[in-house]
Amino acid sequence: MKKTLRWVAVLWVLSCLSWLAAFAQTSSHAADGESHPWWQHAVFYEIYPRSFADSNNDGVGDLKGIASKLDYLKDLGVDAIWISPCFPSPQVDFGYDVSDYENIDPMYGTLADFDFLASEAKKRDIHIILDFVVNHTSDQHKWFLDSKSSRISPYRDWYIWRDGKGPGQPPNNWVSTFGGSAWKFDSTTDQYYYHFFYPEQPDLNWRNPAVKGAMFDVTRWWYKRGVSGFRLDAVDTLFEDPNLQDNPINHPGKNAFGDPFEQNKYNTKLPEVHDILRGLRQVANEYDAVLIGETWTADVAELNQYYGKGNNELQLPMDFLFTMVNKLSPAEFRKQIAAVDAASGWPTFVISNHDIVRSYDRYGDGKHNDQIAKLMAALYLTLRGTPIIYYGEEIGMKTTPPTRQEDVKDPIGRKGWPKEKGRDGERTPMQWDSSENAGFSQGTPWLPVPPTYKTHNVADESKDPDSVLEFYRKVLNMRHTNEALLDGSYKAINESDANVLSYLRVYRGQAVVVSLNMSGMPQTADLDLKANGFKSARSLLATGKSEVRGEEVSLEPYGVFIGELTK
Ligand code: NOJ
């Protein structure tokens, strides 16, 4: 009986501690008297480290390069940087094949360089988020080398090994998302191992508690070194059906790699994923850290699952559905924004990243691209939620894919050419100035610098009040200081307008209106002021000749109007 009481007491203390940890997270960084976790008011910025800034002129960016640009980032209005993987790696998938989770690849520097970057970032109140590749390791990771060495290796069950169906036949029909069978035969032990991505990226077996323990410890190790969270890579691929049932084929034909169009029914989005996310979140809560998810979902109902019940999984699952509205359509954006605004957690907006064609090309019409880049900035930086800027978006960088197969660096581009050109185009070096190699490196950059560096670069745009960069700076400055933009509710207005997307952000009687002309013609749009209890609007930021006239706003082609409303 005594023992039972002692256990009850221990459990009570533990539950108090976890409640306190959760409370500490939600009550930090309050800016307006209410509690807001720091990541809700922060602007995030994704850095692809190979391409950001090269301090030692070997043609590849590095951590010292990032440190040298912190003032630029601070001045832009960035509060947190997410660095794509910078851990030791054979670089088959440019860092998404990690061979040691607790170190820095010599190409990017040393742990001392990381510590320097972390302390310099801290001085400027910039949080560091690392990219945690949870689904797989490199085939050169010591765990995998041991695992493949023998069927009785202590690490054998850390990966997914199976017998083939017969000679030369993989265990089932699963295809890798990067082309070919998802199984690779290894003659050392005469079995196949499973890889959702490249064969050099064997999947970890998350059903093994030892894997879970080791991976959770990796996050603790980095939290203790000062990181403020992780972007979790490819979370939906963590688990596979233990019975290895064949995937159904979606429709006839072959994809860019010559594989059938498979539905990943038995090897993605298994419910067990959520147990792991809850566990990772518990650890994150101990450190006031944030978890961002690479969450490709079919709809917002699926996105909601990643927030978890009572918000106990990811704080910031990215809404990629937003990136799939690939045309300037007010109706489609309205629909998607409303859906994610009604989601069960705090929205996260991205318009580009290192895997998708840049927004400059997805939305640009070839004539008004800079204006459209400003329009898109005004959109994702004024919505209710946390925005993540992809490096170079703020200067209007263009996707520049290779034109010849022999120049392609991304293996999927070499394999899938010409249908799949790979992701080099959106990973080109950051354009800092108009000097040789755009000021990125004095060596030969690992990917060619696009010719647009002459017109689109940080140095020149900083001097031009009408540049895309200056527009980003202005919107971000406004976002950081305007309570309606930070915490206000979202309300669509003038919803039947086919050309202009307009909405209000309302916070304790204060309101901001945003009107975006998504067409190439001048437009006049009703601001619905009276209907919403407001009298007039005063311009906070507008492009070109866009201005308010009474109840209406007149917008130039692709024009932006952001105004403050008075009662
Ligand atoms: C998603 C990452 O964003 C992508 O770049 C990578 O190739 C795959 N996951 C595999 O890690």
Side-chain angles (χ1 to χ4, degrees):
M1 184 62 190
K2 255 193 182 165
K3 244 188 183 170
T4 322
L5 274 178
R6 207 178 307 144
W7 272 112
V8 170
V10 168
L11 286 176
W12 182 78
V13 170
L14 283 178
S15 78
C16 285
L17 284 177
S18 75
W19 181 83
L20 276 176
F23 180 76
Q25 175 151 64
T26 50
S27 65
S28 63
H29 297 256
D32 57 358
E34 284 182 9
S35 50
H36 291 277
W38 65 268
W39 43 266
Q40 287 191 351
H41 285 174
V43 170
F44 287 65
Y45 184 96
E46 179 192 354
I47 292 180
Y48 197 67
R50 293 182 78 86
S51 298
F52 196 59
D54 177 14
S55 75
N56 62 354
N57 298 318
D58 63 355
V60 176
D62 45 52
L63 296 188
K64 278 193 182 144
I66 298 175
S68 73
K69 301 297 182 187
L70 287 172
D71 285 336
Y72 163 74
L73 294 168
K74 185 73 198 169
D75 178 57
L76 174 62
V78 167
D79 308 293
I81 50 175
W82 146 31
I83 308 174
S84 295
C86 52
F87 317 105
S89 159
Q91 304 288 329
V92 172
D93 192 13
F94 300 116
Y96 284 96
D97 46 324
V98 178
S99 54
D100 180 357
Y101 287 100
E102 294 177 356
N103 212 332
I104 296 293
D105 194 293
M107 166 188 296
Y108 296 126
T110 60
L111 276 174
D113 294 337
F114 177 83
D115 293 340
F116 174 73
L117 172 65
S119 71
E120 287 299 304
K122 197 166 181 196
K123 281 184 202 160
R124 293 163 178 84
D125 264 335
I126 295 179
H127 294 262
I128 295 188
I129 307 298
L130 292 181
D131 206 319
F132 193 26
V133 187
V134 276
N135 174 66
H136 47 269
T137 67
S138 156
D139 63 346
Q140 298 307 308
H141 194 292
K142 64 180 183 205
W143 300 338
F144 187 72
L145 293 176
D146 201 312
S147 181
K148 75 178 231 177
S149 67
S150 115
R151 289 195 186 201
I152 55 159
S153 151
Y155 287 94
R156 185 66 172 180
D157 196 34
W158 282 46
Y159 295 85
I160 298 158
W161 291 96
R162 292 289 188 280
D163 290 328
K165 263 189 185 159
Q169 282 183 291
N172 65 15
N173 75 345
W174 297 352
V175 292
S176 157
T177 194
F178 285 168
S181 168
W183 295 96
K184 179 154 183 203
F185 184 70
D186 192 71
S187 57
T188 322
T189 54
D190 282 343
Q191 276 195 315
Y192 287 83
Y193 68 85
Y194 172 67
H195 56 91
F196 187 82
F197 297 97
Y198 294 124
E200 293 86 350
Q201 296 168 299
D203 272 48
L204 282 162
N205 175 16
W206 275 89
R207 295 188 190 278
N208 181 344
V211 167
K212 185 173 152 187
M215 293 296 271
F216 279 29
D217 281 349
V218 169
T219 67
R220 290 191 181 93
W221 194 86
W222 283 107
Y223 290 140
K224 286 184 190 141
R225 235 183 162 101
V227 319
S228 300
F230 290 94
R231 174 263 188 186
L232 302 179
D233 184 63
V235 284
D236 56 5
T237 58
L238 287 189
F239 284 88
E240 301 75 30
D241 170 30
N243 300 321
L244 304 186
Q245 296 176 74
D246 274 350
N247 275 331
I249 305 300
N250 254 350
H251 49 87
K254 296 274 157 75
N255 67 18
F257 306 115
D259 296 320
F261 291 103
E262 230 174 53
Q263 184 199 339
N264 295 121
K265 181 169 177 188
Y266 295 110
N267 57 346
T268 64
K269 299 184 181 168
L270 267 62
E272 293 89 326
V273 165
H274 298 281
D275 300 334
I276 299 302
L277 296 182
R278 278 190 291 276
L280 285 168
R281 174 63 183 278
Q282 272 175 11
V283 182
N285 280 349
E286 290 166 26
Y287 297 88
D288 192 18
V290 67
L291 296 178
I292 305 172
E294 191 205 6
T295 37
W296 292 94
T297 60
D299 49 36
V300 170
E302 221 175 62
L303 191 70
N304 280 339
Q305 294 177 14
Y306 287 103
Y307 289 109
K309 288 199 183 86
N311 278 292
N312 60 355
E313 296 188 25
L314 305 177
Q315 293 102 318
L316 299 177
M318 293 187 234
D319 174 31
F320 286 114
L321 296 161
F322 192 74
T323 67
M324 289 177 206
V325 180
N326 266 331
K327 53 180 180 214
L328 289 177
S329 156
E332 295 210 13
F333 274 117
R334 237 174 246 135
K335 202 165 112 203
Q336 185 51 30
I337 297 164
V340 80
D341 193 65
S344 56
W346 184 256
T348 312
F349 292 103
V350 285
I351 59 173
S352 288
N353 72 18
H354 62 285
D355 293 328
I356 53 182
V357 171
R358 284 185 178 275
S359 67
Y360 199 78
D361 309 274
R362 297 207 320 279
Y363 300 103
D365 65 350
K367 246 171 97 187
H368 303 88
N369 284 28
D370 282 5
Q371 188 53 49
I372 294 171
K374 294 177 196 170
L375 176 107
M376 288 307 295
L379 173 60
Y380 81 124
L381 303 176
T382 65
L383 288 172
R384 189 184 71 89
T386 294
I388 306 179
I389 302 169
Y390 182 48
Y391 85 94
E393 289 289 293
E394 76 277 22
I395 53 170
M397 267 176 70
K398 193 176 160 31
T399 312
T400 313
T403 50
R404 306 180 315 172
Q405 187 177 11
E406 56 268 39
D407 296 333
V408 178
K409 295 278 191 319
D410 184 10
I412 57 168
R414 290 202 299 272
K415 193 168 183 173
W417 191 272
K419 277 193 193 153
E420 167 62 70
K421 292 199 166 77
R423 298 161 291 180
D424 295 354
E426 51 266 29
R427 299 173 174 182
T428 58
M430 176 69 176
Q431 298 166 193
W432 294 104
D433 58 40
S434 58
S435 69
E436 209 187 343
N437 298 333
F440 161 71
S441 171
Q442 283 168 26
T444 308
W446 76 284
L447 277 179
V449 172
T452 57
Y453 79 97
K454 293 248 153 95
T455 51
H456 290 74
N457 64 66
V458 171
D460 290 344
E461 290 189 43
S462 296
K463 289 183 230 140
D464 173 3
D466 282 334
S467 66
V468 177
L469 178 59
E470 282 309 299
F471 190 80
Y472 262 79
R473 283 198 178 119
K474 283 178 204 151
V475 180
L476 289 174
N477 182 38
M478 197 164 66
R479 183 194 159 89
H480 278 113
T481 47
N482 187 300
E483 289 195 315
L485 289 181
L486 284 172
D487 298 318
S489 58
Y490 164 87
K491 183 175 185 214
I493 55 170
N494 199 16
E495 289 188 74
S496 55
D497 198 313
N499 298 304
V500 181
L501 176 71
S502 301
Y503 49 90
L504 301 181
R505 298 288 314 281
V506 185
Y507 182 75
R508 292 186 176 168
Q510 253 194 56
V512 164
V513 64
V514 180
S515 262
L516 308 169
N517 179 3
M518 296 196 158
S519 81
M521 300 292 288
Q523 301 289 340
T524 303
D526 196 332
L527 291 180
D528 284 356
L529 294 184
K530 293 216 175 80
N532 285 290
F534 294 97
K535 244 190 15 245
S536 58
R538 182 181 71 86
S539 172
L540 290 173
L541 181 61
T543 56
K545 297 195 185 86
S546 304
E547 60 182 359
V548 68
R549 289 188 204 136
E551 278 269 322
E552 287 181 343
V553 64
S554 93
L555 296 158
E556 62 173 7
Y558 303 109
V560 170
F561 175 83
I562 305 177
E564 198 170 44
L565 302 186
T566 51
K567 290 217 171 180

